[in-house]
Amino acid sequence: MKVFKFGGASVKDANGVKNLVSVLQQVGYNNTLIVVSAMGKMTNALEAIIGCYFEDKPKINETLLTVEDFHYNIALELFKSKNHYVFAQITSLFDELKNFLQSNKSPDYNFVYDQVIGFGELISTTIISQYLNQEGLANQWLDVRQLIKTDDYYRRATVNWDNTQQIVSQSIDINKLNITQGFIASDKNNFTTTLGREGSDYTAAILAYCLNADSVTIWKDVPGVLNADPRYFKDTQLLHSISYTEAIELAFYGASVIHPKTLQPLQRKEIPLYVKSFLEPLSQGTVVNKTEGIVPKTPCFIVKQNQVLLSLSTLDFSYVVEDNISEIFNLLSQYKMKVDVIQNSAISFSVCFDNNFNNLEPLLLHLKAKFKVTCHEGVSLYTIRHYDSKSVANLEQGKTVLLKQMFQETLQIVTK
């Protein structure tokens, strides 16, 4: 059994869907489960609809029409007849989305987000499944919400592994070509949940774990895992092999090629993860498996932008001790801040984090009641794994360094 994951960039238009078929024909698709994301930037487009729902309801129809036209136009390019059943399926899904937007009574942003955002994956897999059938690749479309069960922590749900394992084992015929959605799941009440942004990789790993798959392949628009993001760094290198431990370190620090949660279930069953190019499907790519270190051994650069750096000290200049730190972390957890760096001295404590849920203002109000707070928004966090003096000097050149932390193999710098 193989698990393939195709992201939004690989199916951003009709040619991308056609190329997906070409990839399967070149590398084989027997006993394969395909996990697919929303097409192109449709997750962002659906987020815009959610924004309209809460802030500007009259614009919902206009924003929704853009999303509808995008998908219908792709379908019109792919299918030989405008009377193909897929158009009725697409219409049905959009009707379901509209009904939710009209009838929902919950004021909970996170709940509404999860009920709306997954339609990107549902529609993309519906179109691709029908196109595969048209091209002679018979397949079984699966609703992943009936397979992966989670708690109701909307937008970052936790998997119920025992329940999911039982359902997946009973529901998927591994002798068929199967296609399902990434990113989404459901809670015990069958409301849609999501696994965190970019969670489709994690979906592939969950299903691979439950199916005891031979491998997982993530198909990207890059040749494999590079030592840096080519959008921000020049002269990048392809990493041919990476250990699970090393890949988990890179993912933890924010490497965008692999989702942070993806690797743990694969490591537990020693399932190799391949990262390959959907433009050159027969190329070597990168393998993550039970090995040591990285090949070649080279500094690896990771950048996370739009971070928040807080520097805290007590109002009476007393020591920042365990009770203070515990209180700070409880607040960070309460407001759903993902912490990336911490640094403390006797009388100060600094923390750099993602403000993904836009809860910074209430967090600051809470903290300022007890601490002196300095806040830097819009900072960048750079991490170098296996750094050397040259890589550090090049990175710091022309930047204002707000925080710097060095360990044996890892260096982190927060810059303005």
Side-chain angles (χ1 to χ4, degrees), residues 163-303:
N163 198 0
T164 299
Q165 175 72 74
Q166 182 179 5
I167 295 170
V168 169
S169 299
Q170 295 173 352
S171 303
I172 297 180
D173 184 347
I174 64 173
N175 297 310
K176 292 182 178 179
L177 172 61
N178 296 278
I179 181 169
T180 195
Q181 307 77 38
F183 182 48
I184 59 176
S186 70
D187 62 20
K188 64 182 180 181
N189 294 313
N190 293 321
F191 288 115
T192 304
T193 58
T194 59
L195 303 173
R197 193 70 188 268
E198 307 298 336
S200 294
D201 293 358
Y202 187 34
T203 302
I206 293 166
L207 295 173
Y209 178 92
C210 294
L211 292 167
N212 294 312
D214 292 329
S215 65
V216 173
T217 303
I218 298 175
W219 296 97
K220 306 282 290 185
D221 56 357
V222 291
V225 179
L226 305 176
N227 74 318
D229 189 328
R231 295 174 296 177
Y232 306 112
F233 298 91
K234 297 179 180 179
D235 304 321
T236 57
Q237 285 184 268
L238 175 67
L239 304 176
H240 301 301
S241 69
I242 312 174
S243 69
Y244 289 118
T245 301
E246 185 66 36
I248 289 170
E249 290 279 1
L250 292 172
F252 174 80
Y253 290 116
S256 60
V257 174
I258 304 172
H259 189 274
K261 292 183 180 178
T262 299
L263 294 155
Q264 284 92 344
L266 300 181
Q267 183 183 30
R268 286 200 294 270
K269 289 193 175 179
E270 297 184 4
I271 299 170
L273 170 68
Y274 295 92
V275 181
K276 305 184 77 172
S277 169
F278 59 74
L279 302 174
E280 299 178 358
L282 299 179
S283 61
Q284 178 183 1
T286 302
V287 60
V288 182
N289 58 9
K290 188 180 179 181
T291 183
E292 292 188 7
I294 59 172
V295 178
K297 183 74 174 287
T298 186
C300 296
F301 300 84
I302 302 158
V303 59

Side-chain angles (χ1 to χ4, degrees), residues 135-149:
E135 297 302 301
L137 282 68
N139 67 93
Q140 177 71 41
W141 184 91
L142 302 168
D143 187 338
V144 76
R145 296 173 299 178
Q146 298 177 8
L147 302 173
I148 299 178
K149 306 301 290 186

Side-chain angles (χ1 to χ4, degrees), residues 50-102:
I50 298 165
C52 291
Y53 178 83
F54 283 99
E55 299 170 8
D56 194 357
K57 278 189 168 63
K59 284 190 176 180
I60 287 179
N61 289 338
E62 177 187 345
T63 311
L64 185 56
L65 184 61
T66 301
V67 176
E68 289 184 89
D69 287 345
F70 174 85
H71 289 99
Y72 282 123
N73 288 334
I74 289 178
L76 286 169
E77 286 189 59
L78 292 173
F79 296 95
K80 298 171 183 176
S81 170
K82 293 182 180 179
N83 296 320
H84 194 286
Y85 176 57
V86 72
F87 293 98
Q89 291 180 298
I90 297 170
T91 299
S92 177
L93 286 166
F94 277 114
D95 286 345
E96 185 182 341
L97 172 56
K98 293 172 187 176
N99 288 336
F100 172 79
L101 293 171
Q102 291 168 2

